[in-house]
Amino acid sequence: MRKFIEMVTKALVKSAQRARKLVEMTGTPLVVVEFDTYRSSSSVNTQNK
């Protein structure tokens, strides 16, 4: 499990680095959005009922 977490963490860091590089190259503003999966899934379930 630890190896899996390390792999996912490395992939996320690499993805963030690529995103920053793309932002710098294109001049597009970088937007950071925090996502709370529990709250979001609860609100989706509530809306669908």
Side-chain angles (χ1 to χ4, degrees):
M1 184 67 170
R2 192 175 100 199
K3 182 69 174 173
F4 174 75
I5 293 171
E6 289 174 5
M7 288 172 43
V8 170
T9 302
K10 286 179 184 179
L12 289 171
V13 169
K14 193 168 191 172
S15 177
Q17 289 171 341
R18 288 179 178 168
R20 283 189 197 100
K21 188 174 184 176
L22 183 60
V23 165
E24 290 172 2
M25 289 171 32
T26 62
T28 305
L30 180 62
V31 178
V32 177
V33 178
E34 292 185 25
F35 187 76
D36 183 352
T37 55
Y38 177 77
R39 190 174 316 156
S40 295
S41 63
S42 296
S43 65
V44 169
N45 291 336
T46 304
Q47 291 172 354
N48 290 337
K49 289 184 179 181

